[in-house]
Amino acid sequence: MYWYNGKLIKSQTLELDIYDPGLVYGATVFTTMRVYEQCLDSSLTNWGAHCHRLLDSLKHFNWSEPNWNLVRQGAATLGEIFPILRITLFPDGREWITGRLLPPDLAIKQAHGITTTLAMSNFYRSLPAHKTGNYLSAWLAKTHAQQLNSQEAILINEAGHWLETTTGNLWGWQNGNWWTPPLTGGILPGIVRSQLIKKLPMVRESPWHQDLVRGFEAIAYTNSVVEIIPIHTVHQPTGSLEYNPYHPCFAQIRGFF
């Protein structure tokens, strides 16, 4: 089931006009949230932050706002069933909300970390400050990484600086400090990232060049669904890098969830 344009629909198909820009060009914006305790108003759900993200993109693109009451009604309805919601908005104000379950291996990844692969520099997200429906590049990067037995891919720029994973923001620990790539590098301003910058005692925003990433003791990525997942291995053309997925620094971030 899903919610579309003010209605709950029990189907696995969605009917769109063949000329709908959301279908033809990926002209949509979306946010993916985790609903804690089946409650949109939970501080961990961050309903307000997700709505602000959507509204910011709508204003930036000069698109119509949806009926926010219907958006909330749809999210509340599906949030009673699914812990993860994807709220998508079309340029004319239509809303489309889908739900899914938490990944069955999430706890294992959170506890023991994952393997990642550096993506080729031509795999980059368009309009990186916004979550648009055109996610082909990130999807291709992650699919390619999975073919190499990695669970995620790390996007890079032409200078080889690490930017973000295909689904979350990067964090590194070195000499008692947290490091994260800057927004000026062309990354998504993640909701969890924004909160952690305010809550963690010391965060340095700096480009992740090779000298920096080789000095990290531990790295991880965060997003609103998985919270934090350590990365123990990063495969790259110049040789793999290994990090400690059990580093005690991760307790600082886990404590916020």
Side-chain angles (χ1 to χ4, degrees):
M1 66 177 65
Y2 60 90
W3 179 277
Y4 176 66
N5 203 20
K7 297 179 181 179
L8 181 66
I9 300 175
K10 296 182 179 181
S11 173
Q12 286 295 101
T13 61
L14 171 65
E15 182 176 329
L16 294 175
D17 188 284
I18 61 172
Y19 299 111
D20 191 303
L23 174 64
V24 179
Y25 305 111
T28 60
V29 294
F30 75 95
T31 191
T32 304
M33 70 171 61
R34 180 167 172 174
V35 181
Y36 289 81
E37 301 173 346
Q38 298 179 310
C39 179
L40 297 182
D41 294 320
S42 166
S43 60
L44 290 175
T45 301
N46 277 309
W47 171 256
H50 285 280
C51 289
H52 178 77
R53 160 186 278 172
L54 292 169
L55 181 58
D56 181 68
S57 294
L58 293 177
K59 290 182 176 179
H60 183 83
F61 299 142
N62 196 29
W63 289 358
S64 299
E65 289 189 41
N67 182 324
W68 291 105
N69 290 330
L70 290 179
V71 173
R72 183 178 175 94
Q73 182 183 348
T77 300
L78 291 179
E80 294 180 355
I81 305 170
F82 301 104
I84 303 174
L85 300 181
R86 186 183 194 271
I87 301 175
T88 303
L89 301 180
F90 290 82
D92 60 3
R94 281 171 293 146
E95 79 282 357
W96 172 33
I97 308 173
T98 56
R100 67 178 190 267
L101 302 177
L102 289 170
D105 58 351
L106 177 58
I108 294 175
K109 290 180 177 178
Q110 290 173 327
H112 304 292
I114 63 169
T115 298
T116 64
T117 295
L118 285 194
M120 294 180 288
S121 61
N122 61 330
F123 286 148
Y124 59 89
R125 292 195 305 107
S126 64
L127 301 169
H130 305 273
K131 290 178 75 72
T132 72
N134 184 0
Y135 241 64
L136 177 60
S137 185
W139 182 82
L140 288 173
K142 186 171 184 177
T143 300
H144 182 254
Q146 291 172 336
Q147 293 171 348
L148 299 175
N149 296 318
S150 290
Q151 289 77 54
E152 253 290 357
I154 294 177
L155 303 178
I156 64 174
N157 61 19
E158 293 182 352
H161 297 165
W162 299 10
L163 302 177
E164 58 191 340
T165 72
T166 64
T167 57
N169 293 114
L170 287 169
W171 296 89
W173 176 267
Q174 182 184 113
N175 299 327
N177 294 318
W178 285 105
W179 299 71
T180 191
L183 297 181
T184 54
I187 67 171
L188 181 73
I191 290 174
V192 172
R193 177 186 183 277
S194 299
Q195 292 179 320
L196 291 178
I197 287 177
K198 297 176 182 178
K199 294 179 179 180
L200 291 171
M202 178 62 73
V203 177
R204 298 193 177 189
E205 298 180 74
S206 179
W208 280 29
H209 50 74
Q210 279 296 309
D211 289 341
L212 182 62
V213 299
R214 290 181 182 278
F216 286 141
E217 302 166 43
I219 66 172
Y221 79 95
T222 59
N223 66 37
S224 296
V225 171
V226 304
E227 300 175 344
I228 178 172
I229 292 183
I231 296 172
H232 60 70
T233 304
V234 179
H235 295 306
Q236 54 180 0
T238 57
S240 298
L241 297 177
E242 304 287 338
Y243 301 96
N244 179 10
Y246 309 110
H247 198 286
C249 69
F250 294 132
Q252 291 186 16
I253 294 180
R254 291 190 178 110
F256 295 125
F257 297 101

